[in-house]
Amino acid sequence: MPDTTESTPAATTATATTAAADADPTDPAGQASPAYPRHWEADIVASDGRIVHLRPILPSDADALLAFHQQLSDRTRYLRYFGPYPRIPPRDLERFVTVDHDKRVAFVALLGDEIIAVGRYEGLSDPKDPQAPVTSAEVAFVVRDDHQGRGLGSILLEHLAAAAREKGLDRFEAEVLVENHTMVRVFREAGYQVRRAFAEGVLHLEFDIDPTERSLAVRDSREQAAEARSVTNVLHPTSVAVIGASTDPSKVGHAVLANLLRANFSGPVYPVNPDARSVRGVRAYASVTDIPDPVDLAVVAIPAAGVDEVMDSCLEKGVKALVVVSSGFADAGADGTSAERKLVTEARAHGMRVIGPNALGVANLDDGVRLNATLAPDLPSRGRVGFFCQSGALGTAILASAQSRGLGLSTFVSAGNRADVSANDLLQYWQTDTATDVVLLYLETFGNPRKFGRLARRLARSKPVVAVKSGRNTSPARLREAAVPIDDASVRALFEQSGVIRVETIAQLFDTALLLAYQPLPRGRRVAVVGNSTALNVLVTDALIDEGMTAAADPVDVGAAATPEEFGVAVERALAADGADAADALVVVFVPPIATPGLEYARVLRETSAKADKPVVAVFLAVEGVPAELAQPLPDGTPGPGSVPSYASPERAVQALSRVARYADWREQPMGELVRPEGIDLEAAREVVDRLGVGDWAAAGERALTDAEAVELLACFGISLVEFRLVEGEIAVAKAAKELGYPIALKAVGDRWRHRTDLVGVRLDLGSEAAVLRAYAELMKVTGKSEVYVQRMAPKGPSCVMEVAEDPSFGSLLSFGLSGMATQLLDDRAYRVVPLTREDAAALVRAPRAAPLLTGYRGGEPARLDALEDLALRVGAMAEELPEVRSLALDPVLASPEGAFVTGARVVLGPPPTRDDQGPRRLR
């Protein structure tokens, strides 16, 4: 029988294992089942942005469960148990806390050591056939009254359904009192197809628990809302406590307090220092619990060794989030790493999120907040750019650079060691933040790259995302230990598919951000050039060609003696040009004449470009950023839309414009939907994989499939190989050639011979038995082996390679390129992260630099790219649906006017990797 809770959205993301109880759940001495599923434990973000820990119930939870039951209101107990149930009898209590984690499963939601919600399912046997496998269960849950409205019922349902699917169940049933509107809403809004029946005041509900498109959309929506709310708790606090606020100006606690006061934070600020009565003239408190009013945000600025002591007091006080600026955690070695894990575990167990440790801090420049909880004394002006910086040390320099260039920020978060809150959380926040139009990221590592790709792709459709990913060639040891390695090809594929504008340096980051923040997106790649220097105009034109842009017309040189009015007329004409001379953007280069001030020219450019609906960038030499002369000021004096960014060189201006143009092109493309090509038999594929698995995958390790096994598995996804035979001896070779039909190819066995660029192990276009036998003799002489492949010749066309490799950080990566030594030498391959949309597949086969060979280069017949796209979608589906496929290579694939023909395949199966972005919501 189900129970009462609120259905307010809640959210999560990837796993964390908080201690379930003092005893090891796998230890019989701890009264727990040896089958305890530790992987079901999860930290979850509730709809109010606070953390709740979820884990399977234990026998040792009996006392906590009794206490939980006593705190339920009579009304809640009535709705749960359909009548008075003031106490849990001993027999019921034992049954409640003793489960088999299979057909009887229960979860408890914890805040600290207290149970605040319980959910369970009980397997239902078929009364007509009690021996039949259990495939359905009755589900129920109850939430403590003071925690209703946090979306815990929805969270419990989501995790119970995932556990049930894992255990082979496919349907839930529930009995709900008609008056229990809240519970009915939980089931109705979960995204499942719910069937209802009504009798005697009770609703009987049934629904299949396999994920549906709607249930996944509901999950993602609740995840976004909850994680955004958790960041809101950090960036929009109504009060801040500085724990470790020192009277010593050289201490970080003093700096944070001083910056909060200097910024004129909109709420109260409370110094916490047991050894001082006041700090900077503000009354100090010995502990956060001594503060008489609520505290939303606590900035922790005490040594790492003392952080444990603040946890309980912050829980008691109801603090929502911590910003830990203290160092001495993972940045200090192995012992610090353990301390950092403990910090996050304790914070989450107490319902709090953590920024840091070793963070520079957080800032919100909104006039209604005015939060500067950082170590940086000065912040940029208020703007509409959000900035996430993983590095604490680099944060101060980034803020100073933004200020000097005139780039205004809306919010700033320096996550330091990124132990909890990450870039993914900020992407969720900025998705719905009306004060932010552009997002900047400085990333050192990825916590959950697959989720990053999903969130960035969604956000970039409405707001540009610009990112620097450091560590392309190397990274500090602490980062290599704290994060899963990810190679640069994977990062490139992830960013390209997600619409993220990737830059290599901080300077490029700001160059791009200035253009995005103040100018509209270009509608194309045609660029007009106006300047007063022929030499600079030539440099601009060269840069346009280098970046794949097009000059809309000959550059306009107004001459060094042009007046501001003449200069303005030239700019206006370039912006207004139509027909063949129409431009999508304008680059203005200007060298102030000797003894002639440039202020009037800047004013003219600003006023003229303000009327344009296309981006304008300037190269006013020796001027970088948005100077006052080029700014369109808002009422508060800060630069606003229409301000013209200036760059130190023509090359930097054009490079920034090119990046933004590529982003605008991506944004104009259809978003694309994940598609499954026709003719895929996933059930048959799973049967093949299960049959080929040798006992325990983890023990068996990876296994290369035989030719017959690979052909069978590929056929389940509609991928066929050009017909072949593996034979030995002249008679068998001649017979196979006759059966397949001439012309045929002979191939030596083994990659050593078959995939060499000199084709020493391959003989092609053999049109007669005599030619076949002669080629067979040659191959035997070269390889020393009598076994060969006999294969029907495929239609001629460029030879390609399509491969799947498992990236340890975010799953399968699909690559495509043309065969040959040059491709290998230059690494001319394109990459995409699976799963693929049709647009991803189309972009993949057109991305290599050698791709023009597929479209009729120099008079050649164009290949059917649609056939290659279909093949890519099938390979991508195979990699996504069968995580046991650790590597797959289709080599070669002949791309011809008749289609795409696979003539060779290698498949390796192995233990499926863990994918943190799948399943119910959880924090990593």
Side-chain angles (χ1 to χ4, degrees), residues 127-168:
K128 298 179 181 179
D129 185 5
Q131 302 304 315
V134 175
T135 59
S136 65
E138 185 176 25
V139 64
F141 31 90
V142 60
V143 178
R144 211 170 75 184
D145 293 68
D146 55 337
H147 288 276
Q148 292 177 12
R150 301 181 64 199
L152 300 183
S154 302
I155 290 170
L156 286 166
L157 177 60
E158 193 174 307
H159 283 258
L160 286 167
R165 290 193 298 270
E166 181 181 322
K167 295 301 181 180

Side-chain angles (χ1 to χ4, degrees), residues 179-200:
E179 61 201 271
N180 195 348
H181 305 295
T182 307
M183 178 53 56
V184 174
R185 192 164 60 248
V186 169
F187 290 113
R188 189 180 67 240
E189 296 179 355
Y192 299 108
Q193 294 293 326
V194 180
R195 299 175 292 278
R196 306 182 188 187
F198 172 73
E200 298 180 355

Side-chain angles (χ1 to χ4, degrees), residues 442-605:
Y442 174 83
L443 304 173
E444 294 177 342
T445 60
F446 289 99
N448 188 338
R450 283 172 66 94
K451 181 178 179 181
F452 174 89
R454 172 168 58 87
L455 301 183
R457 178 182 288 210
R458 182 181 65 193
L459 177 60
R461 283 288 163 181
S462 57
K463 300 178 183 182
V465 180
V466 191
V468 174
K469 170 63 176 70
S470 66
R472 287 178 290 119
N473 302 307
T474 186
S475 59
R478 69 171 181 85
L479 295 181
R480 294 196 298 270
E481 294 168 0
V484 180
I486 176 170
D487 64 36
D488 197 57
S490 300
V491 175
R492 184 169 67 249
L494 184 68
F495 283 175
E496 286 178 0
Q497 279 178 265
S498 304
V500 174
I501 303 172
R502 185 181 186 180
V503 295
E504 306 299 336
T505 66
I506 296 296
Q508 292 176 358
L509 183 79
F510 283 117
D511 284 351
T512 310
L514 285 166
L515 179 53
L516 291 166
Y518 299 122
Q519 291 291 318
L521 295 177
R523 297 190 183 94
R525 305 180 69 82
R526 293 173 55 81
V527 182
V529 182
V530 173
N532 67 343
S533 164
T534 300
L536 287 179
N537 285 355
V538 170
L539 288 177
V540 173
T541 305
D542 287 344
L544 289 173
I545 295 172
D546 290 342
E547 292 296 324
M549 309 285 279
T550 303
D554 290 336
V556 176
D557 184 359
V558 298
T563 65
E565 290 73 21
E566 293 170 331
F567 178 68
V569 169
V571 169
E572 188 171 11
R573 287 176 177 172
L575 290 171
D578 54 13
D581 294 337
D584 301 303
L586 172 65
V587 177
V588 177
V589 290
F590 181 80
V591 180
I594 297 175
T596 302
L599 296 182
E600 189 61 22
Y601 294 88
R603 182 191 63 79
V604 169
L605 174 60

Side-chain angles (χ1 to χ4, degrees), residues 730 732-738 742-746 763 765-779 788 790:
E730 290 185 349
V733 168
K735 180 182 178 182
K738 184 176 181 180
Y742 296 105
I744 61 99
L746 285 189
R763 298 294 183 271
D765 281 319
L766 305 175
S768 66
E769 181 176 324
V772 168
L773 294 179
R774 187 165 54 250
Y776 177 62
E778 293 173 358
L779 288 181
V788 296
V790 183

Side-chain angles (χ1 to χ4, degrees), residues 276-402:
R277 295 184 60 186
S278 66
V279 182
R280 289 188 65 91
V282 181
R283 178 186 172 183
Y285 296 86
S287 169
V288 70
T289 56
D290 295 330
I291 298 172
D293 298 314
V295 174
D296 285 344
L297 179 68
V299 181
V300 180
I302 62 175
V307 169
D308 284 348
E309 300 177 11
V310 310
M311 286 299 174
D312 288 336
S313 58
C314 286
L315 170 65
E316 182 180 347
K317 190 63 186 173
V319 173
K320 296 177 182 178
L322 301 177
V323 175
V324 183
V325 297
S326 312
S327 57
F329 290 90
D331 49 287
D335 291 341
T337 300
S338 298
E340 183 171 294
R341 292 196 188 105
K342 184 178 180 182
L343 164 68
V344 174
T345 297
E346 289 294 318
R348 289 180 175 178
H350 291 68
M352 296 177 286
R353 300 221 66 178
V354 177
I355 303 287
N358 195 30
L360 182 72
V362 300
N364 185 346
L365 287 86
D366 187 282
D367 283 340
V369 182
R370 303 185 301 278
L371 173 71
N372 181 10
T374 76
L375 299 177
D378 297 310
L379 296 178
S381 61
R382 181 174 62 87
R384 302 191 61 80
V385 177
F387 203 134
F388 173 85
C389 177
Q390 191 169 332
S391 169
L394 194 61
T396 302
I398 286 174
L399 291 173
S401 184

Side-chain angles (χ1 to χ4, degrees), residues 2 50 63 109 205 245 261 304 314 331 352 389 442 544 611 617 624 629 635 665 667 677 703 762 820 827 840 872:
R50 306 290 300 279
D63 290 342
L205 309 175
L261 297 175
C314 286
D331 49 287
M352 296 177 286
C389 177
Y442 174 83
L544 289 173
K611 310 167 190 175
V617 297
E624 191 170 1
E629 296 78 16
D665 289 343
R667 191 155 143 175
R703 177 177 180 273
V762 179
D827 192 24
D840 291 333

Side-chain angles (χ1 to χ4, degrees), residues 229-241:
R229 179 61 182 271
S230 74
V231 176
T232 298
N233 292 342
V234 175
L235 293 175
H236 294 262
T238 60
S239 58
V240 179

